[in-house]
Amino acid sequence: MTDTVAVTSRRREATRQKLLDAAAQVFAEVGLDAASVEAICERAGFTRGAFYSNFETKDELFLELAANVARSRVAAVRGRVGDLERAGAFEDAAGDAFEIIQQVLDVSADDRLGVLLMNEIRIHALRNPELASAYLAQDDEMRESVAQIIEDIGRANVLRFRLPSDAAARLMLTVWEGSAVRSVMAGLDYDEMCRRTNEELARVAQLIIEPPQA
């Protein structure tokens, strides 16, 4: 009986995840308001019954999806920071400080659909207090993760920053996301999007990192 329950639970979770994945694509393509339950079910390969056995409304699904996106973005940043720490990147940051920060941001780089979905979430967060609270919490975690990297580099005494770590992190994240949005609007492919974003971040680095002393 226990095995049967476990199998049923796994199947239900797999169905739920497929619906969330399909919804992410549909929301990114047409927006929350234009997306229909039927379109999401068709993309996922399920019936309306499967949808309503997992979610009461489309809005409920959207809120869970937004929370999942937030968690995955923060987890990606934290995971990359952990990788860099284990590799000893912060112990020998001379000359590579900006590259380290860039690597952490790159791990969360979105493709076109990812950028569209994040902006759809932002739009609705402006109107929905519950979603706004979750979005701001995720944004704070992202900023704190990047700020911690900047502090670690500063403690290595190899580079100095003109701004406090929190302000520097917010500036870099703002430029990074703004560049990604402009790249999508311009119809650039993923590789070109990354190249443009890296160029923008390099310009910011020149402004916020003190030049080495002669």
Side-chain angles (χ1 to χ4, degrees):
M1 182 67 175
T2 301
D3 290 342
T4 301
V5 171
V7 169
T8 301
S9 178
R10 286 196 296 270
R11 286 177 178 171
R12 180 180 176 83
E13 184 59 33
T15 298
R16 191 178 185 89
Q17 188 58 53
K18 285 183 179 179
L19 286 166
L20 286 164
D21 291 342
Q25 297 175 16
V26 175
F27 290 150
E29 291 168 0
V30 303
L32 173 62
D33 294 335
S36 66
V37 170
E38 289 78 8
I40 294 170
C41 291
E42 182 179 354
R43 184 69 60 91
F46 295 124
T47 64
R48 286 171 58 91
F51 180 95
Y52 287 112
S53 69
N54 285 276
F55 302 99
E56 291 187 7
T57 64
K58 182 177 66 172
D59 286 346
E60 180 190 343
L61 183 152
F62 184 78
L63 286 171
E64 181 168 331
L65 178 62
N68 288 350
V69 170
R71 284 193 294 267
S72 66
R73 284 164 68 87
V74 172
V77 169
R78 287 178 172 171
R80 189 54 179 159
V81 170
D83 291 343
L84 291 169
E85 288 176 339
R86 286 187 289 274
F90 301 144
E91 298 172 7
D92 184 23
D96 296 323
F98 173 66
E99 181 180 345
I100 291 171
I101 296 170
Q102 190 179 67
Q103 286 181 50
V104 173
L105 297 184
D106 280 349
V107 79
S108 300
D110 295 314
D111 57 13
R112 179 177 179 276
L113 284 179
V115 172
L116 290 170
L117 177 60
M118 281 307 302
N119 279 279
E120 186 69 15
I121 291 172
R122 289 189 188 99
I123 289 171
H124 288 276
L126 290 170
R127 305 187 182 101
N128 183 313
E130 180 182 355
L131 185 55
S133 178
Y135 178 85
L136 290 174
Q138 176 261 336
D139 188 63
D140 285 342
E141 287 192 65
M142 286 278 285
R143 175 178 43 77
E144 289 168 5
S145 295
V146 176
Q148 185 61 56
I149 298 167
I150 292 173
E151 289 181 6
D152 289 340
I153 293 171
R155 279 195 294 270
N157 295 320
V158 292
L159 286 175
R160 293 191 303 168
F161 293 84
R162 293 188 172 102
L163 296 175
S165 60
D166 185 79
R170 184 174 295 282
L171 177 59
M172 297 192 77
L173 284 167
T174 298
V175 170
W176 169 60
E177 293 190 341
S179 178
V181 169
R182 290 193 300 274
S183 295
V184 169
M185 289 181 178
L188 304 181
D189 62 24
Y190 180 75
D191 289 339
E192 182 63 15
M193 182 190 304
C194 290
R195 189 186 70 79
R196 293 281 184 91
T197 301
N198 288 341
E199 287 180 352
E200 293 288 338
L201 286 172
R203 294 189 184 98
V204 174
Q206 291 176 347
L207 295 174
I208 67 175
I209 296 176
E210 292 279 5
Q213 297 296 319

